[in-house]
Each structure stands twice: as structure tokens, then as C-alpha cells.
Amino acid sequence: MRNRNKKWMAFIPLLIVAGVALFGWLVMYLWNVALVPAVNGVNTIGFWQALGILLLSKILFSSFSGKKHKGDHAWKKKWDTMSDEERRRFRQEWWKRCGKMPEPPATQQQDKDEASL
């Protein structure tokens, strides 16, 4: 079993190179066939330029961390761990900077109940 895993691991770099080449060709094809004919005055690109565009788009529109940040609201976690004094100072600072009070995540009703006591 262990020997089989080693053989598979040898193919991973080859698969990565093949994937990068495929995406580069795809960008080149889309640019030259789908986009350039629609826009006058734009030149066609080669394979290496397509890889450059692919890398540039990765840098501009994505991250290299591999983490997905869908629905991850760190500020909600931070708000929940704040003491009442920290929340009050935060609201005052927000008021000074923005001119309006922030809406706390889920504890707004708790704060209103505490204030009425």
C-alpha cells in the first residue's frame, strides 16, 4: 500500500504542470477566439502571454492562501468576546469617525435590555 502511494506522489508534479498548461491554453484560446474578434485593434496573444494573464488574474482577483472566506465574519467573533466597556469605547470611536453608531451583530437586544435596567 505504501509503495502505491509513492508512485502516485510522483505524478503530482506532472499533473500540476499539465493543469497550468491547460489553463494557459484555455486563456489563450478564449482571448484569441472569443475576445479579440469582438474588439478591433487588439492583438492576439501567445501561450506564455496567456500564462502571464492567468497569473496576473490570480494575483489581482484571488489569494494564494487557499482559504475560503465565505461567511467567515471575524468581527462577529471579536464583538462577542468584547467586554461591555470595550463595546462602549468601540461605539464611541465609531461615532467619532463615521458619524453613526454601528449595529452590533446579535447582542443588540441584550445591550438594550441591560441599558433599561
Side-chain angles (χ1 to χ4, degrees):
M1 184 73 172
R2 192 176 243 296
N3 197 16
R4 182 197 278 168
N5 288 341
K6 286 183 180 180
K7 288 181 182 179
W8 176 249
M9 295 296 282
F11 287 109
I12 290 178
L14 182 63
L15 291 174
I16 291 172
V17 170
V20 168
L22 178 66
F23 279 117
W25 178 84
L26 182 63
V27 169
M28 182 180 71
Y29 177 80
L30 289 173
W31 182 275
N32 292 336
V33 175
L35 299 174
V36 169
V39 181
N40 293 331
V42 178
N43 297 327
T44 60
I45 61 172
F47 176 75
W48 295 109
Q49 291 168 322
L51 283 180
I53 291 173
L54 186 64
L55 179 63
L56 180 63
S57 64
K58 176 68 175 169
I59 291 169
L60 293 175
F61 302 114
S62 186
S63 69
F64 290 101
S65 67
K67 295 179 182 177
K68 302 289 183 192
H69 297 288
K70 292 182 180 178
D72 181 30
H73 299 288
W75 63 272
K76 285 183 182 179
K77 293 175 187 172
K78 186 174 182 177
W79 182 266
D80 289 339
T81 59
M82 283 181 171
S83 67
D84 292 337
E85 179 63 25
E86 289 172 327
R87 289 179 187 172
R88 187 185 60 75
R89 283 192 310 239
F90 176 79
R91 287 182 183 131
Q92 288 175 347
E93 185 64 31
W94 188 280
W95 182 263
K96 285 192 297 188
R97 290 183 185 186
C98 302
K100 63 179 181 177
M101 294 294 282
E103 292 295 324
T107 58
Q108 182 180 11
Q109 186 60 38
Q110 289 175 343
D111 292 343
K112 285 181 183 178
D113 292 341
E114 290 172 4
S116 65
L117 294 177

